């Protein structure tokens, strides 16, 4: 136990030193990892999760702490859990240390860190060794206790990242190759995955119905950017596979076989299927964001090392892995991330200036649902990190494809733009626009022609109230176009060029957001599943404890 405590302290100290710059900045923005809003009014419905409540709780104690904590935590957790797993399989101490750190310090984890998915995908990946260990124990002894423990871990990972019910299932697939009772193990594993899905069923169903249909695309256009990396991974994975199959290592061969399956699954980017609810969403997990495959292939290879005795081959594969130069691909751009990029991470390069939050405060103090325009040409000239920063930190930002010079402000008003943001060291003047906020290089202009985000058929502005559960429009018209994004769960509205089209009767129209009410019912299922599994597990543990106490009294 002392060795474990020593390892934990060293791991904690090591990663706190590596990521020390996170705690030097007030807030940082790293693509998908964005700081929390300091000032925010919610008008549109957003899907809550149990984990989001915990996120908000941490923010109430220390603003922006969740983003920092859950960027570092996956590395600590994954390294420690790999040590626990390798201890179960009786590895010698120095091998435990090397492999435990390698599991979280490899090209795949570096890639995910720099695309900003440490708090989600990397956190899910960090539980991989524990899922593999619990799956191994379940395969050896399929009983209710082992099943419930595995299910509980699945639930926790799925609460953190909603695709974990599939991604962490990858770590159970190798066990299927050597499980004594393959059918029972497969059914138990699928049941655990299904329970984790049900534990977040409100989010799973709604995100697949609202978000995924808009992402029903193929990622084949990314292939030219990935060819080099696909060839490279195929090279060292092929060499490793041939060695394992020649030596007839049972468990490592099973693990690497799953890695080969993941590698081949890249081919699904060429497949296009109809938009079938849920099925299409699950398929999209494998069709998009190929960085996940680099991550999980790297993790599986490291886990396979734990079952090898000959270290000269391991070091050879490690050498090949360390040469990897992985692409960070987003929005048709390419940035390379090396295997050593984690050790040189500097949050100061991604710090968010205070002007963003002062702008948020101004918007918060001027309530109402409206859009903030920004010159699209300016936005496209920014680097990828700046684009994400603007789009995620400024609510309802709407790029406009023309310059404001010489453009009638009414044109922007019909697009729902109440304010126009100019990012410049100068403070220009515009006709029909009044400067209402200026801080540093941020200048916000109010559109004096703006009246509403709801319009009649002839373009006259109407009175509108926007809440998370409904939109109410009032005025002299039989039909209203409301500039609120449309999706299939709006009742009483139809698609009007991507916005709400609401029929009106006697000057009144109403659209109900059914997603809001569906969520209220489904979120109950989340907690019922957790309570049942936790209750059954607690009952089993109490029965065992009571038996031990009874035996001692004898």
């Amino acid at each position: 136990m002392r060795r474990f405590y020593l390892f934990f302290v060293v791991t904690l100290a090591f990663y706190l030193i590596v990521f020390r710059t996170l705690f030097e900045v007030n807030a940082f923005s790293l693509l998908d990892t964005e700081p929390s809003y300091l000032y925010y009014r919610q008008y549109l419905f957003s899907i809550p999760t149990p984990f989001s409540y915990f996120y908000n709780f941490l923010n109430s104690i220390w603003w922006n702490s969740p983003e920092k904590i859950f960027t570092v935590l996956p590395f600590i957790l994954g390294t420690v859990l790999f040590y626990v797993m390798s201890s179960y399989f009786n590895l010698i101490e120095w091998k435990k240390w090397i492999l435990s750190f390698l599991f979280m310090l490899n090209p795949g984890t570096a890639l995910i860190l720099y695309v900003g998915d440490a708090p989600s995908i990397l956190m899910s990946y960090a539980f991989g060794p524990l899922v593999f260990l619990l799956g191994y124990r379940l395969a050896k002894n399929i009983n209710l206790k082992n099943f419930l423990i595995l299910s509980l871990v699945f639930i926790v990972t799925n609460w953190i990242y909603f695709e974990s019910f599939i991604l962490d299932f990858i770590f159970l697939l190798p066990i299927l190759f050597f499980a004594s009772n393959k059918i029972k193990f497969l059914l138990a594993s699928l049941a655990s995955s299904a329970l984790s899905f049900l534990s977040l069923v409100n989010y799973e169903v709604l995100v697949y119905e609202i978000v995924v249909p808009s992402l029903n695309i193929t990622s084949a256009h990314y292939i030219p950017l990935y060819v080099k990396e696909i060839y490279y991974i195929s090279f060292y994975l092929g060499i490793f596979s041939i060695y394992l199959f020649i030596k007839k290592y049972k468990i490592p061969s099973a693990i690497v076989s799953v890695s080969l399956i993941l590698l081949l699954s890249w081919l699904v980017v060429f497949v296009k299927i109809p938009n079938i609810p849920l099925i299409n969403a699950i398929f999209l997990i494998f069709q998009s964001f190929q960085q996940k495959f680099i991550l999980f292939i790297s993790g599986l290879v490291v886990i396979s090392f734990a079952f090898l005795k000959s270290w000269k081959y391991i070091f050879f594969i490690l050498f090949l892995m360390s040469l990897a130069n992985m692409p960070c691909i987003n929005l048709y751009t390419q940035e390379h991330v090396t295997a050593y990029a984690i050790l040189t991470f500097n949050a100061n390069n991604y710090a968010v200036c205070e002007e963003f939050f002062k702008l948020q405060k101004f918007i918060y103090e001027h309530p109402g649902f409206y859009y903030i325009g920004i010159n699209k040409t300016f936005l496209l000239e920014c680097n990828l990190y700046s684009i994400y920063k603007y789009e995620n930190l400024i609510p309802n930002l709407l790029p406009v494809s023309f310059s404001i010079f010489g453009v009638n402000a009414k044109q922007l008003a019909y697009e729902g733009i109440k304010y126009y943001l100019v990012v410049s060291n100068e403070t220009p003047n515009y006709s029909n626009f009044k400067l209402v906020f200026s801080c540093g290089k941020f200048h916000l202009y109010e559109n004096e022609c703006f009246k509403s985000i709801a319009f009649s058929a002839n373009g006259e502005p109407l009175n509108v109230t926007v809440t998370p559960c409904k939109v109410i429009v009032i005025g002299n018209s039989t039909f209203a176009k409301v500039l609120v994004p449309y999706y299939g769960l709006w009742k009483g509205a139809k698609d009007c060029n991507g916005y709400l089209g609401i029929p009106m009767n006697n000057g009144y129209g109403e659209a109900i957001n059914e997603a809001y009410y569906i969520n209220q019912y489904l979120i109950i299922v989340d907690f019922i599943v957790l309570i049942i599994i936790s209750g059954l597990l607690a009952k089993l543990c109490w029965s065992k404890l009571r038996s031990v106490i009874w035996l001692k009294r004898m």
Side-chain angles (χ1 to χ4, degrees), residues 323-354:
L323 297 178
N325 191 20
M326 299 302 181
C328 167
I329 298 174
N330 277 286
L331 304 179
Y332 308 100
T333 65
Q334 184 174 10
E335 299 175 20
H336 285 274
V337 175
T338 68
Y340 317 102
I342 296 172
L343 302 178
T344 58
F345 177 79
N346 188 350
N348 291 295
N349 296 333
Y350 312 101
V352 178
C353 61
E354 289 297 319

Side-chain angles (χ1 to χ4, degrees), residues 19 140-141 164 221 307 322 325 470 528:
F19 292 103
K140 293 293 182 182
N141 185 10
S164 294
H221 52 266
F307 299 92
S322 68
N325 191 20
K470 67 172 63 176
I528 289 176

